[in-house]
Amino acid sequence: MTTKQESRPNAAAKPVRWAADTVATIREGSRFRLDYSATSLWHVDRMIDELRRKATPYAAVESELRGFGAYAGEVIIRQAGGEWWATGGDHWVRTGDGRLWDPIDEAGRCFAGPGSLRLLCRDATTGAREALDRRPR
């Protein structure tokens, strides 16, 4: 007996793992559950803000930020039906409307101050839903 297995593009391998590791680490460290919802990104933005307020050096949290960004990318993919794209070691999310988003870079912007993974997700999913609504039926 064989079972059909859902496959994901090869570009998804690393960011999916980074996101899953982040979910597990947060669950163990803070007992907070990241559930891949858009609402959970509000908590992620707050965690990144807390790292910044503690004046944590970027180099010390670079992998955590990558994980937070990958988690946000997975939220966008689950909400908007997108997929991971990779080129030269960089990973982006391509939503169903063809736009590319860089949640991993956005996590770095959050740490620097002006970014927001929650707002990135809102923008990505709103545009993708509108594009899907405009498709001929």
Side-chain angles (χ1 to χ4, degrees):
M1 179 172 143
T2 61
T3 59
K4 184 179 177 184
Q5 201 174 40
E6 183 179 327
S7 66
R8 305 240 355 228
N10 189 37
K14 286 182 180 180
V16 168
R17 187 180 70 240
W18 297 331
D21 289 348
T22 297
V23 169
T25 300
I26 296 301
R27 182 177 51 238
E28 292 172 14
S30 69
R31 306 271 186 234
F32 180 77
R33 290 202 179 274
L34 294 176
D35 61 2
Y36 293 95
S37 69
T39 305
S40 69
L41 292 175
W42 182 81
H43 296 287
V44 173
D45 279 346
R46 289 188 60 201
M47 287 185 258
I48 294 171
D49 187 49
E50 183 64 25
L51 291 171
R52 182 179 64 250
R53 278 191 274 136
K54 290 180 179 178
T56 309
Y58 179 82
V61 294
E62 187 173 5
S63 65
E64 286 86 352
L65 294 172
R66 181 186 65 206
F68 286 139
Y71 173 78
E74 280 296 296
V75 171
I76 292 168
I77 288 168
R78 293 173 187 210
Q79 300 288 319
E83 63 184 341
W84 283 103
W85 280 48
T87 295
D90 292 328
H91 294 82
W92 300 282
V93 170
R94 182 178 180 267
T95 51
D97 59 2
R99 293 184 296 166
L100 290 173
W101 303 89
D102 193 346
I104 295 172
D105 189 55
E106 186 68 16
R109 277 193 291 279
C110 290
F111 185 71
S116 171
L117 293 172
R118 179 183 57 83
L119 295 177
L120 178 77
C121 179
R122 183 199 64 193
D123 293 347
T125 58
T126 300
R129 279 191 216 114
E130 290 170 356
L132 290 174
D133 289 343
R134 288 190 303 264
R135 284 191 319 200
R137 296 179 196 247

